[in-house]
Amino acid sequence: RVHLVESGGGSVQAGGSLRLSCAVSGYPYPTYCVGWFRQAPGQEREGVAAIDSDGRISYADSVKGRFTISKDSAKHTLYLQMNSLKPEDTAMYFCAADVIDYGLGTGYAYWGQGTQVTVSS
């Protein structure tokens, strides 16, 4: 069974940094696409950053230059380094995985439970 567990969320002041991690286990295929998403209260879930099975990376315009997605394939772990955080980055952050490349779309089959990020001004 595929299992994704996020960690690293917390509360920071604007301008601060956080690093999110997502441990992936049980995936039946050697390569897969992964992504980070976020959802603020009352808003739809949106894609933040994604890596496809060939290693190509995409970012939402709102986080370009501030967030960096990476993965350690040996550890089956996905990361999201978030710098220069803004209050509007406040949301529940989720990681997702699928063999199909959904990019920043939300069609991924497997999702974690989320980790809360709160940025105060």
Side-chain angles (χ1 to χ4, degrees), residues 35-55:
W36 284 101
F37 296 78
R38 65 186 182 187
Q39 188 168 19
Q43 297 187 19
E44 294 187 354
R45 190 169 298 188
E46 63 173 356
V48 174
I51 304 177
D52 70 13
S53 56
D54 292 323

Side-chain angles (χ1 to χ4, degrees), residues 82-93:
M82 305 186 295
N83 299 328
S84 301
L85 282 162
K86 304 175 181 180
E88 51 263 44
D89 294 318
T90 295
M92 184 72 77
Y93 282 70

Side-chain angles (χ1 to χ4, degrees), residues 87-121:
E88 51 263 44
D89 294 318
T90 295
M92 184 72 77
Y93 282 70
F94 301 87
C95 60
D98 202 307
V99 67
I100 298 173
D101 178 19
Y102 289 101
L104 298 179
T106 57
Y108 291 76
Y110 304 103
W111 293 82
Q113 293 299 307
T115 185
Q116 178 68 37
V117 171
T118 302
V119 184
S120 58
S121 58

Side-chain angles (χ1 to χ4, degrees), residues 51-88:
I51 304 177
D52 70 13
S53 56
D54 292 323
R56 290 181 292 242
I57 292 174
S58 55
Y59 293 101
D61 288 342
S62 59
V63 306
K64 282 181 181 177
R66 300 188 298 122
F67 290 11
T68 302
I69 188 173
S70 61
K71 67 176 181 178
D72 185 330
S73 297
K75 295 182 178 179
H76 299 286
T77 301
L78 179 68
Y79 303 99
L80 185 68
Q81 178 67 43
M82 305 186 295
N83 299 328
S84 301
L85 282 162
K86 304 175 181 180
E88 51 263 44

